[in-house]
């Protein structure tokens, strides 16, 4: 199998537009959470979210007009705009601009989303009911479809290789990167633009996730403290939005063009819980098996893992189950492991979460800095694992593992390693 | 220029993201203003909305230039 490396990174998150703005604020321990002001929330159980800071593009703000023409933005849900922005950032970062027909055909796209254009579907439903079918835009369907994120990106950059999309709820971003890496490993493409994008902050989504009892509701007056993985006062996740995109590349292809190489994707594991539609299996077996599958593929010893970027959503049940599964797989090596949940700072980006968190894992390798689990005042359980409470930590990271688990019992783990 | 022409021109500029000076009467939406088939459907919807008129599909198919739209709406809009 061919080796696959990461040569470009791009992201739009509640901490900022771009990798640098997001990473510096993440390491500082900032929170992206705040009260929702874009729509009526007074009748919603959850009134907070981690929203992308919008502005003119300076100081880490997100200016959509820099990434997609206003007339095109109007046709699509924001997840597509975020995907366009993060993909362009990642491609620029990688320096890869396919120009010849052969280069274009060897470059593909695999961008997923958990629920795609739910905001636009909600609005169009209201239009249909109130004003009838003749008022439904011809862009309604193409602007909501999950694979249209990849469609738009391929059109913008002339990428004619595999064009695929993943939909596995909160595991989407990890599955997208893992599957894209396999397409390169198997020779279907030399370069893949891969990741996830999500725009779920609207009345319908908040109401729906609140009905699942998945969202934090105790911190409406103190939003930056709401996402608190492993803390005893945690009461659910905080919705986020954004996109994380990486450029994956076959190792020799990257080397031949002198590309900067961030890390190698050495392991990818998948599993299913076969247990419940929203709850993780009580024994954490699904999480354990997907980490074990990724380790087997990576062909490394578990003691080589320096850092785990946890799924850690801040839900009462999920955090401890994942922690137990990580303790079980690490065995005697648990004592030297650091594991943090960056959802404490950016919230839960659903289908973009795994991709954003893979990028954080890569940056931990690059900089030797582990981002903190903010708001972790009082851990709900004792563990030998360092959960990196409140403050970032300097530590050499050669190997990082990133976990993502989704509704439906779908699990994915990625293992990334420094390329020396 | 008539009031109808001004309003048509404004809609075309907004929806197709083109410069106002390119939106002349004989400009073809697809050939001259960069619209695709979906854009033209949406343009017709925008005309219906602005002028509070229903444009049947067979009539919509005959509206291919800015002038076509102005003439149709001057004749049919209330």
């Amino acid at each position: 199998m061919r080796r696959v490396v990461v040569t470009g990174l791009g992201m739009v998150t509640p901490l900022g537009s771009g990798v640098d703005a997001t990473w510096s604020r993440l390491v500082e321990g900032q929170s992206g959470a705040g009260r929702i002001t874009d729509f009526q929330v007074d009748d919603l159980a959850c009134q907070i979210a981690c929203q992308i800071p919008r502005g003119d593009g300076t100081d880490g703000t997100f200016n959509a007009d820099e990434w997609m023409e206003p007339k095109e933005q109007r046709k699509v849900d924001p997840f597509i705009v975020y995907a366009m922005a993060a993909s362009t950032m990642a491609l620029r970062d990688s320096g890869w601009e396919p120009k010849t027909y052969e280069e274009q055909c060897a470059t593909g796209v695999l961008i997923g989303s958990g629920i795609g254009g739910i905001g636009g579907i909600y609005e169009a439903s209201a239009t249909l009911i109130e004003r009838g079918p003749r008022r439904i835009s011809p862009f309604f369907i193409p602007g909501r479809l999950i694979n249209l994120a990849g469609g738009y990106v391929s059109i913008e950059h002339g990428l004619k290789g595999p064009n695929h999309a993943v939909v596995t709820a909160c595991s989407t971003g990890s599955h997208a990167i893992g599957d894209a890496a396999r397409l390169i490993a198997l020779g279907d493409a030399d370069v893949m633009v891969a990741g996830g994008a999500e725009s779920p902050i609207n009345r319908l989504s908040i109401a729906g996730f609140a009905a699942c009892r998945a969202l934090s509701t105790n911190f409406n007056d103190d939003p930056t403290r709401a996402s608190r993985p492993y803390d005893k006062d945690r009461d659910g996740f905080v919705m986020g939005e954004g996109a994380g995109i990486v450029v994956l590349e076959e190792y020799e292809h990257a080397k031949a063009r002198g590309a900067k190489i961030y890390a190698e994707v050495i392991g990818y594991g998948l599993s299913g819980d076969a247990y419940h539609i929203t709850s993780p299996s009580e024994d954490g077996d699904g999480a354990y098996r997907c980490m074990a599958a990724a380790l087997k593929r990576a062909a490394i010893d578990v003691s080589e893992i320096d850092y785990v970027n946890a799924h850690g959503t801040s839900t009462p049940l999920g955090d401890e189950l994942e922690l137990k599964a990580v303790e079980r797989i690490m065995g005697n090596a648990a004592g030297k492991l650091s594991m943090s949940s960056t959802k404490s700072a950016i919230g839960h980006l659903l289908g973009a979460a795994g991709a954003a968190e893979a990028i954080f894992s890569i940056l931990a390798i690059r900089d030797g800095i582990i981002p903190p689990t903010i708001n972790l005042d009082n851990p709900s359980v004792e563990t030998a694992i360092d959960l990196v409470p409140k403050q970032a930590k300097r530590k050499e990271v050669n190997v990082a593992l990133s976990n993502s688990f989704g509704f439906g019992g779908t699990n994915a783990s990625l293992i990334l390693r420094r390329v020396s | 220029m008539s009031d109808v022409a001004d309003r048509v021109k404004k809609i075309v500029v907004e929806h197709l993201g083109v410069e106002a000076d390119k939106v002349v009467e004989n400009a073809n939406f697809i050939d001259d203003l960069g619209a695709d088939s979906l854009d033209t459907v949406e343009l017709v919807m925008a005309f219906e909305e602005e002028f509070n008129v229903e444009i049947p599909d067979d009539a919509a198919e005959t509206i291919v230039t800015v002038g076509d739209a102005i003439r149709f709406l001057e004749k049919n809009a209330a």
Side-chain angles (χ1 to χ4, degrees):
Chain A
M1 296 250 281
R2 310 198 302 167
R3 294 172 68 185
V4 181
V5 294
V6 180
T7 56
L9 308 176
M11 70 199 319
V12 181
T13 76
L15 285 178
S17 177
V19 169
D20 293 344
T22 297
W23 180 240
S24 62
R25 289 166 186 175
L26 184 73
V27 168
E28 283 168 12
Q30 293 188 24
S31 165
R35 273 190 75 82
I36 295 168
T37 52
D38 288 354
F39 52 88
Q40 184 200 342
V41 292
D42 54 1
D43 57 350
L44 293 170
C46 172
Q47 303 173 355
I48 60 174
C50 290
Q51 298 161 97
I52 292 169
R54 288 160 196 282
D56 62 3
T58 58
D59 194 29
T61 57
F62 180 64
N63 177 3
D65 295 353
E66 287 179 17
W67 309 102
M68 197 172 186
E69 281 185 48
K71 82 175 175 87
E72 293 300 318
Q73 288 174 41
R74 215 169 36 76
K75 300 173 182 172
V76 304
D77 258 43
F79 77 100
I80 292 177
V81 183
Y82 306 155
M84 286 284 276
S87 297
T88 299
M89 291 174 197
L91 279 163
R92 282 182 192 163
D93 184 39
S94 76
W96 176 241
E97 288 179 63
K99 290 197 177 70
T100 67
Y101 180 71
E102 287 71 24
E103 287 172 347
Q104 290 179 328
C105 292
T107 307
V109 188
L110 205 171
I111 298 172
S113 181
I115 43 182
I118 187 169
I121 293 170
Y122 163 52
E123 286 165 13
S125 300
T127 301
L128 179 68
I129 291 163
E130 289 164 13
R131 308 179 62 203
R134 288 185 60 85
R135 298 263 69 86
I136 299 297
S137 163
F139 299 107
F140 165 57
I141 295 293
R144 310 314 127 195
L145 295 181
I146 282 171
N147 70 296
L148 262 283
Y152 267 96
V153 168
S154 71
I155 293 164
E156 174 75 12
H157 297 284
L159 313 181
K160 298 181 177 174
N163 196 286
H164 194 8
V166 168
V167 181
T168 49
C170 308
S171 294
T172 297
S174 297
H175 277 136
I177 292 173
D179 288 353
R182 290 211 169 151
L183 288 175
I184 295 172
L186 294 169
D188 296 275
D190 291 332
V191 182
M192 291 292 293
V193 177
E198 201 76 66
S199 51
I201 303 177
N202 55 68
R203 261 174 80 73
L204 180 60
S205 296
I206 299 285
F209 279 93
C212 293
R213 300 293 183 268
L215 297 176
S216 170
T217 56
N218 289 340
F219 294 86
N220 286 334
D221 297 323
D222 202 357
T224 62
R225 292 182 60 234
S227 186
R228 42 195 317 111
Y230 316 111
D231 188 84
K232 67 176 178 50
D233 292 330
R234 70 184 185 275
D235 71 327
F237 75 77
V238 178
M239 190 81 87
E241 60 174 344
I245 300 286
V246 298
V247 173
L248 299 174
E249 192 164 348
E250 194 269 323
Y251 178 60
E252 296 298 337
H253 188 277
K255 239 176 39 173
R257 68 183 186 89
K260 159 186 67 199
I261 294 175
Y262 284 100
E264 179 174 358
V265 182
I266 58 168
Y268 171 43
L270 311 83
S271 73
D273 280 357
Y275 174 71
H276 187 266
I277 54 171
T278 58
S279 296
S281 59
E282 285 170 13
D283 53 7
D285 184 58
Y288 176 84
R289 282 184 291 109
C290 84
M291 288 187 280
L295 276 163
K296 185 180 172 193
R297 180 67 62 186
I300 59 168
D301 187 78
V302 70
S303 64
E304 293 179 61
I305 298 173
D306 301 299
Y307 170 57
V308 171
N309 186 297
H311 183 59
T313 57
S314 189
T315 54
L317 200 60
D319 291 6
E320 284 178 31
L321 290 175
E322 180 186 12
L323 184 57
K324 281 186 190 132
V326 173
E327 284 173 341
R328 183 179 156 208
I329 203 149
M330 292 302 293
N332 292 333
K336 71 171 212 41
L337 181 73
S338 295
M339 168 162 121
S340 63
S341 169
T342 44
K343 288 188 180 79
S344 59
I346 64 167
H348 193 350
L349 272 57
L350 308 185
E357 290 157 16
I359 292 172
F360 296 150
S361 302
I362 290 163
L363 295 170
I365 292 171
R366 183 190 71 179
D367 292 351
I369 295 177
I370 296 182
T373 305
I374 65 168
N375 294 320
L376 178 49
D377 297 328
N378 301 294
S380 61
V381 285
E382 282 190 22
T383 177
I385 294 171
D386 166 29
L387 296 174
V388 202
K390 296 182 173 187
Q391 286 194 329
K393 170 173 287 188
R394 287 213 164 271
K395 177 178 176 179
E396 184 173 305
V397 179
N398 286 305
V399 179
L401 181 150
S402 182
N403 276 334
S404 298
F405 312 132
F407 278 5
T410 172
N411 311 304
S413 298
L414 291 169
I415 302 180
L416 301 138
R417 181 166 64 191
R418 179 192 303 277
V419 176
S420 46
Chain B
M1 198 181 280
S2 70
D3 168 57
V4 169
D6 281 344
R7 287 153 74 194
V8 165
K9 195 168 165 176
K10 187 160 176 275
I11 288 170
V12 174
V13 168
E14 274 170 17
H15 280 260
L16 300 184
V18 289
E19 299 295 329
D21 58 9
K22 289 197 177 137
V23 187
V24 292
E25 289 225 3
N26 61 359
N28 182 297
F29 295 126
I30 291 176
D31 297 337
D32 301 318
L33 300 176
D36 64 19
S37 59
L38 298 181
D39 288 318
T40 60
V41 174
E42 204 190 37
L43 264 183
V44 167
M45 284 176 60
F47 295 146
E48 290 184 324
E49 182 99 327
E50 170 71 18
F51 293 93
N52 196 22
V53 62
E54 192 165 312
I55 305 176
D57 286 352
D58 52 354
E61 280 167 22
T62 67
I63 301 176
V64 297
T65 67
V66 176
D68 293 340
I70 294 169
R71 283 186 291 278
F72 180 90
L73 292 163
E74 279 177 340
K75 201 161 137 196
N76 295 284

